[in-house]
């Protein structure tokens, strides 16, 4: 049986990174809110528990605390930042507000040996870490000892070796703490004794068994967008139940150049998966005519998608289950909302909600995976790298990349510009180094001189960001030569555009979608 780590979330914006680091070391883990049902947390059967950071202050009485069973379960516990502070406070130590707050890069002095530091940080060394705290531990609970200090945290790392309780004031999960991932691996492997045997091959086998058990002889329909999530979900489910699965591709006319044809060729031609292709572009574009507000566009696209999808689902007949590519970040982000992901189809599939009249149960085989893990699963299933490595493409498609009103002419211009942009990125060998890149057709026209004539055409903005999971992002630093060559191609080859700009932007932590 696979070892499992439980991560209790106190609201840190980087809690997901803890899970990612743990899984990268081959150990399965899940994130649950600190106030989840205690019986369910106990039933999870964790081999160790990690307490995340959080924005609250332990010095205030109403702020979050770890469930009492955490320190009585007989398993190792690691408290990170707020997690260390609440562990100390709950076990008899003391936490106070500090006049020496630490935010950002800091250095700790390794004072004593500790299993967390084995093979990483020797005693006497000074190591870089990432801090983010205004409070600090000022007195340790009984049985604890100091193993590292910093200028602002006299108890920067602590240990109770007998109970296998550890605490660090810094964040080992972020890349700004060099060797932080190795520290977490020491906790899961050396302290907790996890085997590190969680692999995509093992997940694939387990997922297929779960799908077969859940579906039985029932029929499943899947809203296929051609994106990574829905594609991997479809191939995985098809491997489990074969022709009990039917995929439905709703072409809303807002897809990229040749995308619908590629999806049909791959899934109907190569994988021989039953696929319904409905070209509803006229319906969508007619309803979007004159609509300028981006949220109105989303809602309109979602409502129309449901209408078309339901029509096609009725034609399939007798479907008992609806498959969707819900990912683990979706589950985490929605856990505090009533209903959660089990009653909402992802906006990635252009759906606003599952109508009760459809009376179908959900099959969500990817809900335990992060985006990069889904890509790994796709490779494990043998999907082509052109699909597995595909940049995210949010469900509203080109509609949200054309601010203002949409029409077929604008869509044609944007498709061509986007195609040229991605061709240049691939030609430069940069596609896999970028999380997401796309063109935006701005609702602005400028006067320009092209050859011997004057033009009055649109401005095209190019965006590209780097990211690991889409939760945070930074602009990709193209060199000037690349941008100049790409802009020249777009202006020369795409009628309707006479100026190209590069949008330097970033996406802060905690947001779900970047567009």
């Amino acid at each position: 049986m696979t070892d499992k780590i439980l991560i209790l979330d106190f609201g840190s914006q980087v809690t997901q990174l803890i899970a990612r680091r743990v899984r990268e070391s081959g150990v399965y883990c899940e994130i649950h809110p600190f106030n989840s049902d205690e019986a369910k947390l106990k039933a999870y059967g964790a081999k160790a528990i990690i307490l995340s950071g959080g924005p609250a202050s332990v010095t205030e009485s109403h702020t979050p605390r770890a469930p009492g069973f955490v320190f009585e379960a007989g398993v190792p516990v690691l408290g990170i930042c707020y997690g260390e502070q609440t562990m100390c406070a709950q076990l008899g130590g003391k936490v106070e507000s500090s006049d020496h707050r630490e935010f950002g890069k800091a250095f700790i002095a390794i004072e004593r040996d500790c299993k967390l530091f084995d093979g990483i940080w020797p005693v006497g060394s000074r190591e870089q870490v990432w801090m983010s705290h205004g409070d600090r531990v000022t007195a340790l609970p009984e049985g604890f000892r100091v193993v590292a200090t910093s200028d602002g945290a006299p108890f920067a790392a602590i240990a109770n070796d007998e109970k296998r309780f550890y605490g660090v004031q810094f964040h080992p999960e972020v890349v700004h703490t060099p060797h932080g991932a190795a520290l977490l691996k020491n906790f899961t492997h050396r302290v907790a004794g996890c085997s590190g045997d969680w692999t995509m091959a093992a997940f694939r086998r387990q997922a297929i068994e779960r799908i077969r058990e859940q579906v039985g002889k029932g029929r499943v329909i899947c809203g296929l967008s051609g994106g990574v999530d829905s594609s991997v979900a479809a191939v995985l489910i098809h491997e489990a139940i074969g022709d009990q699965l039917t995929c439905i591709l709703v072409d809303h006319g807002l897809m990229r150049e040749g995308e619908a044809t590629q999806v049909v060729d791959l899934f109907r031609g190569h994988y021989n998966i039953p696929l319904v292709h409905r070209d509803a572009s006229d319906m969508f574009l007619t309803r979007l005519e004159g609509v300028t507000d981006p949220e109105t566009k989303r809602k309109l696209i979602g409502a129309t998608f449901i209408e078309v999808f339901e029509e096609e689902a009725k034609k399939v007949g007798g479907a008992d289950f609806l498959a969707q590519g819900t990912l683990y970040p979706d589950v985490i982000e929605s856990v505090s909302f009533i209903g959660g992901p089990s009653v909402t189809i992802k906006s990635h599939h252009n759906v606003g909600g599952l109508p009760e009249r459809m009376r179908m149960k959900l099959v969500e085989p990817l809900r335990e995976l992060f985006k990069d893990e889904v890509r790994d699963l796709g490779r494990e299933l043998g999907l082509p790298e052109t699909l597995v490595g595909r940049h995210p493409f949010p469900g509203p498609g080109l509609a949200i990349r054309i601010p203002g009103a949409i029409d077929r002419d604008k869509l044609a211009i944007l498709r061509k510009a986007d195609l040229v942009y991605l061709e240049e990125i691939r030609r430069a060998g940069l596609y896999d180094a970028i999380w997401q890149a796309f063109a935006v057709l701005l609702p602005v026209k400028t006067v320009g001189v092209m050859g011997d004539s004057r033009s009055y055409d649109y401005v095209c903005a190019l965006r590209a960001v780097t990211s690991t999971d889409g939760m945070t992002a930074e602009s990709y630093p193209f060199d000037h030569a690349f941008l100049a060559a790409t802009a020249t191609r777009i202006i020369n080859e795409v009628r309707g555009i006479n100026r190209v700009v590069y949008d330097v932007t970033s996406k802060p932590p905690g947001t779900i979608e970047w567009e």
Side-chain angles (χ1 to χ4, degrees):
M1 183 175 179
T2 301
D3 297 323
K4 296 185 290 186
I5 299 292
L6 171 64
I7 301 170
L8 289 181
D9 182 22
F10 291 96
S12 169
Q13 62 184 4
V14 292
T15 298
Q16 288 195 38
L17 293 180
I18 303 174
R20 293 181 58 78
R21 301 296 172 256
V22 171
R23 291 190 180 186
E24 285 167 2
S25 70
V27 179
Y28 181 73
C29 64
E30 290 184 7
I31 299 172
H32 291 270
F34 74 93
N35 57 354
S36 298
D37 180 75
E38 192 164 315
K40 291 183 179 179
L41 294 179
K42 290 180 179 179
Y44 177 70
K47 197 161 185 177
I49 299 171
I50 298 177
L51 310 178
S52 85
S57 172
V58 174
T59 62
E60 300 175 9
S61 60
H62 64 280
T63 49
R65 297 293 185 270
F69 86 91
V70 167
F71 306 112
E72 301 167 358
V75 301
V77 180
L78 171 63
I80 296 175
C81 195
Y82 185 92
E84 180 201 48
Q85 294 171 7
T86 193
M87 177 168 63
C88 286
Q90 290 179 244
L91 295 179
K94 190 172 182 180
V95 178
E96 297 179 327
S97 296
S98 174
D99 293 330
H100 191 149
R101 300 185 300 171
E102 291 178 302
F103 293 95
K105 184 169 69 173
F107 291 88
I108 60 172
I110 310 302
E111 306 283 355
R112 296 176 180 84
D113 285 323
C114 172
K115 277 194 175 182
L116 291 181
F117 304 157
D118 280 354
I120 308 172
W121 292 334
V123 174
S125 66
R126 185 171 179 264
E127 305 294 343
Q128 178 185 318
V129 297
W130 188 263
M131 293 280 196
S132 181
H133 68 98
D135 297 341
R136 68 178 182 177
V137 176
T138 55
L140 292 180
E142 183 179 351
F144 280 81
R145 63 190 179 94
V146 178
V147 295
T149 62
S150 74
D151 291 341
F155 305 105
I158 59 176
N160 182 324
D161 303 286
E162 180 182 353
K163 292 187 175 180
R164 297 183 295 172
F165 292 170
Y166 299 87
V168 293
Q169 186 59 70
F170 55 90
H171 288 270
E173 67 272 28
V174 302
V175 295
H176 306 85
T177 298
H179 310 299
L183 184 151
L184 289 170
K185 185 175 181 179
N186 272 353
F187 176 71
T188 58
H189 289 63
R190 296 194 182 194
V191 176
C194 295
S195 61
D197 61 354
W198 189 71
T199 64
M200 271 305 121
F203 178 88
R204 174 184 181 180
R205 292 191 298 269
Q206 294 165 1
I208 288 173
E209 290 175 5
R210 286 197 298 265
I211 293 167
R212 288 172 178 167
E213 182 179 351
Q214 179 185 5
V215 173
K217 296 183 180 297
R219 294 190 58 78
V220 181
I221 57 172
C222 175
L224 188 64
S225 68
V228 178
D229 305 340
S230 63
S231 297
V232 172
V235 173
L236 180 65
I237 294 170
H238 186 255
E239 184 169 301
I241 61 172
D243 288 352
Q244 290 172 245
L245 169 71
T246 299
C247 292
I248 298 176
L249 171 63
V250 176
D251 184 353
H252 47 36
L254 305 168
M255 302 177 81
R256 290 178 287 200
E257 187 71 30
E259 203 162 40
T261 301
Q262 293 169 9
V263 173
V264 173
D265 289 346
L266 180 63
F267 287 89
R268 187 185 287 166
H270 180 74
Y271 285 104
N272 200 29
I273 296 176
L275 171 64
V276 174
H277 175 205
R278 167 74 180 275
D279 183 353
S281 56
D282 288 341
M283 177 189 295
F284 278 86
L285 296 181
T286 297
R287 294 183 181 182
L288 285 168
E289 188 174 352
V291 178
T292 58
D293 179 70
E295 287 307 309
T296 302
K297 287 181 185 178
R298 289 178 179 273
K299 292 176 182 178
L300 194 154
I301 291 169
T304 305
F305 182 94
I306 293 172
E307 180 182 334
V308 176
F309 187 87
E310 188 176 10
E311 288 177 4
E312 297 304 321
K314 286 180 179 178
K315 295 176 184 177
V316 172
D320 310 287
F321 297 89
L322 175 69
Q324 66 181 68
T326 304
L327 302 191
Y328 197 42
D330 304 320
V331 177
I332 297 168
E333 291 289 335
S334 58
V335 72
S336 63
F337 295 95
I338 296 174
S342 61
V343 295
T344 305
I345 301 176
K346 291 176 60 182
S347 63
H348 178 76
H349 297 153
N350 299 323
V351 182
L354 177 63
E356 292 184 9
R357 61 181 177 271
M358 292 182 74
R359 299 185 181 280
M360 286 186 287
K361 299 175 183 178
L362 290 181
V363 179
E364 300 171 306
L366 310 181
R367 62 181 285 115
E368 299 170 357
L369 302 182
F370 289 101
K371 188 78 170 188
D372 59 322
E373 293 171 333
V374 173
R375 297 188 196 279
D376 289 341
L377 178 58
R379 296 182 182 101
E380 175 69 26
L381 290 165
L383 272 74
E385 189 61 34
T386 52
L387 175 60
V388 172
R390 182 175 181 256
H391 289 177
F393 188 55
L398 299 180
I400 53 173
R401 298 177 182 178
I402 301 178
I406 300 170
D407 58 43
R408 291 186 181 276
D409 289 340
K410 289 181 180 178
L411 286 168
I413 293 171
L414 181 57
R415 281 194 185 95
K416 181 62 175 175
D418 192 67
L419 181 64
V420 170
Y421 182 32
L422 293 180
E423 283 178 355
E424 287 298 305
I425 288 175
R426 287 192 173 94
R427 181 181 298 174
L430 299 175
Y431 191 85
D432 292 337
I434 296 171
W435 167 263
Q436 188 181 40
F438 55 86
V440 177
L441 191 66
L442 299 180
V444 177
K445 283 189 172 184
T446 63
V447 175
V449 176
M450 301 182 72
D452 296 324
S453 62
R454 181 174 294 171
S455 68
Y456 183 60
D457 290 318
Y458 290 106
V459 176
C460 173
L462 304 180
R463 290 181 176 177
V465 294
T466 58
S467 181
T468 301
D469 55 11
M471 294 301 296
T472 59
E474 294 181 349
S475 298
Y476 186 82
F478 288 121
D479 60 41
H480 180 73
F482 172 87
L483 292 175
T486 302
T488 298
R489 268 202 68 190
I490 290 174
I491 292 172
N492 286 343
E493 298 177 27
V494 184
R495 291 186 178 276
I497 293 176
N498 68 3
R499 182 163 299 175
V500 177
V501 298
Y502 183 57
D503 179 18
V504 179
T505 187
S506 64
K507 171 188 160 186
T511 52
I512 298 174
E513 196 171 69
W514 192 95
E515 297 157 5

